[in-house]
Every structure is written in C-alpha cells, then in structure tokens.
Amino acid sequence: MATSTTQSQDRAELPVIEISGTPRERGRQYGEAARDRLHAAMAYYEAAFGASSGLTWSQVTTRAARWLEPVRDFAPGLAEEMRGIAEGAGVDPLDVLALNARGEVLYDKSFSSMAASVPAAPATPPAPSGPAPATAGPGAEEEAPDGCTSFALYGEASGDGHVYAGQNWDWRAGVAGTLLLLRIVQPPKPTLIMQVEAGQIGRQGANSAGLALNANGLGGRFDDAVGLPQTVVRRTVLDQPSVTDALDVLCRTRAHIASNALLTCREGFAIDLETTPAGHGWLYPTDGLLVHGNHYQAGVPAPLAAAGYRPLSPDSLVRVPRAEQGLKALRGSTDPAESRKLIRAAMSDHLGHPEGLCTHPDPRKPELTHWTTLISSLADLTTGDYYATPGTPCDHEYQHAPWNLYDGPHGDERPRPRA
C-alpha cells in the first residue's frame, strides 16, 4: 500500500512515497501517488525533446518502443512496474518508458533518425572482439551529460568513522517540480531509498544491504545499437544484496549510453566504474576518499580518444578537485552532525558560479536548458540515515528521510552502530 506526504509547491521539502507488493502493485501505487508530478515531467520533456530532436511527444514514444523488448528480457519485473506506473497515473506505458529513457533520448543525436528496424543489443552481450566505432550521429552538437558530482568517504577520510556516500545531482531546472524520495519494499530483494524524477524506476540511492549507488553522465556515443536505459541498469544495481552482485550487473549489461557508477558499501569499501558500450574503466579511493564528476577519470575509451575526446562538461574539471578539497575537512570531524555540516558546506562550493559544484541556472542560456543542483544527497551507511536537500545545498538544509535504510530485508544481517 502506497503512502505519501504532500508538500508545498515551493519545494521546501521533497514529497516522500513508499510502495510495496508485487511489481504491478508497486507501480500502480507509485503512479497514483505521483500522478501530478509525472504529468508535469511529461510536459517538460515534451518541450525538451522537441527542442533537442525536433520530435513530437508521440514520435518520441513511438521510437521509445524499441526499449520494450530489451527491458522485458533483462528485467521483466521492472517492465511490469513501469506498466503499473502508467495505470496508476492514467498514461500510456510508452509515456513511462520515454520518461525512463529521457537521457538516452536527449544525449543520442541519432535518436531522431532511428527507424523501427534498428536492432536492440542483447542485455548481456558476449565480449566484443574490439571497440565499436564512435559515431557522432546526425545533427547538432552532443548534449552535455548530467552534471553530477559523486563522492564516497570512509575510514580516515570521514573523521567520525562513519561510511558516507552522496552526490550533487545536477540536471534541468525545469524538472524540479517532478522530484521525490521513493522507498520501495520488495522482499526478498533489499528495500530501497532513491531520489527520482516522477515515473522513473531508478536513479541514485541506497538499499537495506548497506549498498549505495551514485551516478554521473559521461557522454560519448559509441554505436547505433540499442542498449538498456540507465534507469533500468541503476535500479537493477540497487536491487542487489552485495557489492559484488552489483558489480556483476554493471560489468555484464550493455547500457545505451555511457555513465559513471560509484558504489559504496557499509563495510567501508568503494569502487567507481566508468561504464561504456566500448568497455569499462575503474577507480578506487585514496585514503578513504573518492570523488567523480562528468569526465573520464580512469582513462578515455579508445573510440573517443581516436575521435579527439574533449570533456562535454568542462566544469567537471573544476568540480572534482573542489569537492575533494572541501571534503578533506571531514578528517577532523568527531561526530555525524559535524560531518553532515561539513559535507553540505563542501557541496555548496560556488567557484565558477553559476556553473560549478553547486550549480545555479545560467541566465545567458535558454530557460528550457537551465541547469541547477536539484538535490544534494547523503547516505550515512553506518547508521542507515538518508538525507537530501530539496534544491541547491547552499540554500536548503538536509531533509531527513522518514525511513531507515536498514528497516528491510538484509538490513539486520550484520550489526550496525548508531550515531
């Protein structure tokens, strides 16, 4: 049974929704509770897709149908959940699928020329004999990826001994009114807490097995094969009971676009994977601290290097070292309250304003493409407390989620200290 809290329209707090039951039931509860925000998301992306690709919403959803079969084959339960969302919100299932593939539509300039006969790539393909050729696709300059900055902190880097994971989620300011905190109870799989755009089945968050996923766009189109939408990949990662199972998902699936995944687990371990259709790169923390932005930090994939790679989000080159510098202040922290204050201060950095670690809309750019830090999230994997700012961290305090991460399957398998 879904539970939700309705908040004021000024985004002083994020709406919170809890769903449970079978995949179809969970979807219906979600769709009913988020109906208004889901319709607002459709209205925004109808305008955004039209501006980026020249397609009408009907044309977008018709082309989005190409993801139906890959999603059903890879994760039939998630396909059912999306169908339930559509039923609950009173929209077509392809509307929900398009919202879950919004990044793939916006980033892939070949999308507008795709024909129904374009084959889908298998979800778990055999190892390729060589890198696929990079293709720019017809049309305009490639869209900059989500401008997110993710971090993991533990051991000597956290000061108070807790394990922290989080990120600034930077994306289109126009979707601010579609955001929510979602808790999914789905035994025997772990219980999840995520921040999402209404209608999406996955983005970033943490689970009751003590695993957090933070994600960042990377950019670069590698070929014309149809891979899985990022929302499906990320949700499947968070559905896993261990970090090794999560890594298996990331290494065996073929996503449609490149993306970075930072995994942190409560035992005090983190690893970062730069996942692309042409291969993956990986990074480990230094002295318990790892920060990742929107440029390739483990190494530029060969197809992009051959094509003369340049970061699509140049401000990422500033955000990453600034976050590292600010988060090093935690080494002197002695308690979680102080740590949260220091993390929020670090993620509120304004060097390069309006672009930067804490991003604000740039008045020099068209309103439809304004960017901002939508949410700054923080998971305390030691205590199970989850926090998110309903807007830029410089202007908003952390909102404490009403649920503990470890109130769910797997949550009580290992003892956890409390703050």
Side-chain angles (χ1 to χ4, degrees):
M1 186 69 179
T3 59
S4 66
T5 302
T6 303
Q7 309 293 352
S8 62
Q9 295 301 309
D10 63 2
R11 293 181 63 241
E13 287 192 355
L14 294 163
V16 295
I17 295 174
E18 179 173 348
I19 59 176
S20 61
T22 66
R24 194 73 162 265
E25 291 169 345
R26 294 196 301 264
R28 287 177 182 147
Q29 295 162 19
Y30 182 178
E32 290 171 0
R35 177 188 291 259
D36 291 346
R37 288 184 172 243
L38 189 149
H39 281 267
M42 288 174 55
Y44 173 78
Y45 284 116
E46 179 176 12
F49 291 160
S52 68
S53 64
L55 298 176
T56 65
W57 182 255
S58 177
Q59 290 172 323
V60 168
T61 56
T62 298
R63 285 163 171 77
R66 71 190 59 250
W67 280 295
L68 277 173
E69 186 175 346
V71 173
R72 285 172 179 162
D73 290 344
F74 178 72
L78 296 184
E80 276 294 287
E81 195 167 292
M82 281 193 271
R83 179 170 290 277
I85 292 170
E87 292 171 351
V91 299
D92 190 274
L94 289 180
D95 293 330
V96 175
L97 186 56
L99 291 176
N100 278 273
R102 56 83 162 155
E104 286 71 16
V105 175
L106 285 169
Y107 296 159
D108 184 1
K109 290 302 178 183
S110 66
F111 183 82
S112 60
S113 62
M114 284 181 179
S117 60
V118 174
T124 55
S129 56
T135 58
E141 179 182 353
E142 190 174 355
E143 189 85 16
D146 299 56
C148 306
T149 310
S150 299
F151 65 86
L153 283 159
Y154 60 86
E156 61 184 283
S158 74
D160 62 17
H162 288 217
V163 178
Y164 295 107
Q167 72 180 94
N168 275 10
W169 174 19
D170 304 341
W171 182 233
R172 303 288 186 86
V175 305
T178 75
L179 307 179
L180 52 91
L181 287 178
L182 179 66
R183 183 179 193 241
I184 303 176
V185 181
Q186 50 176 4
K189 294 179 181 179
T191 297
L192 313 181
I193 297 177
M194 301 183 294
Q195 58 266 18
V196 297
E197 298 168 44
Q200 293 183 346
I201 57 169
R203 186 137 298 277
Q204 47 259 346
N207 70 20
S208 59
L211 179 69
L213 168 67
N214 296 99
N216 318 61
L218 286 173
R221 184 74 177 111
F222 293 80
D223 56 38
D224 292 330
V226 179
L228 290 168
Q230 278 298 317
T231 55
V232 175
V233 176
R234 295 175 185 181
R235 169 63 180 279
T236 304
V237 168
L238 280 171
D239 279 347
Q240 303 308 309
S242 73
V243 66
T244 48
D245 290 322
L247 285 169
D248 187 66
V249 171
L250 290 168
C251 289
R252 291 178 57 81
T253 57
R254 189 190 195 284
H256 190 78
I257 58 177
S259 182
N260 187 73
L262 175 51
L263 297 173
T264 311
C265 53
R266 63 179 169 184
E267 291 84 355
F269 178 82
I271 181 172
D272 186 276
L273 255 67
E274 296 175 349
T275 67
T276 83
H280 296 355
W282 52 91
L283 296 165
Y284 296 100
T286 299
D287 299 326
L289 173 62
L290 198 162
V291 176
H292 204 289
N294 302 105
H295 61 284
Y296 289 92
Q297 297 172 219
V300 179
L304 299 186
Y309 169 76
R310 299 180 184 183
L312 292 175
S313 295
D315 59 296
S316 178
L317 302 176
V318 173
R319 288 187 272 114
V320 170
R322 292 294 286 185
E324 290 174 340
Q325 179 181 342
L327 292 171
K328 285 180 180 178
L330 264 76
R331 293 176 181 271
S333 175
T334 57
D335 67 85
E338 182 184 6
S339 295
R340 289 194 299 273
K341 181 178 179 180
L342 291 170
I343 291 172
R344 180 169 164 253
M347 303 309 283
S348 297
D349 184 77
H350 285 138
L351 181 64
H353 182 83
E355 298 282 350
L357 191 50
C358 182
T359 297
H360 294 256
D362 188 341
R364 299 169 295 181
K365 297 181 179 180
E367 185 175 358
L368 193 64
T369 62
H370 278 181
W371 287 64
T372 191
T373 298
L374 296 168
I375 290 175
S376 186
S377 61
L378 173 62
D380 184 337
L381 297 179
T382 301
T383 65
D385 293 300
Y386 199 94
Y387 303 89
T389 64
T392 51
C394 64
D395 293 321
H396 300 82
E397 298 285 344
Y398 282 126
Q399 176 181 335
H400 190 185
W403 323 282
N404 189 281
L405 280 171
Y406 300 133
D407 295 333
H410 307 283
D412 293 323
E413 290 180 0
R414 293 178 294 276
R416 62 185 190 276
R418 286 286 184 176

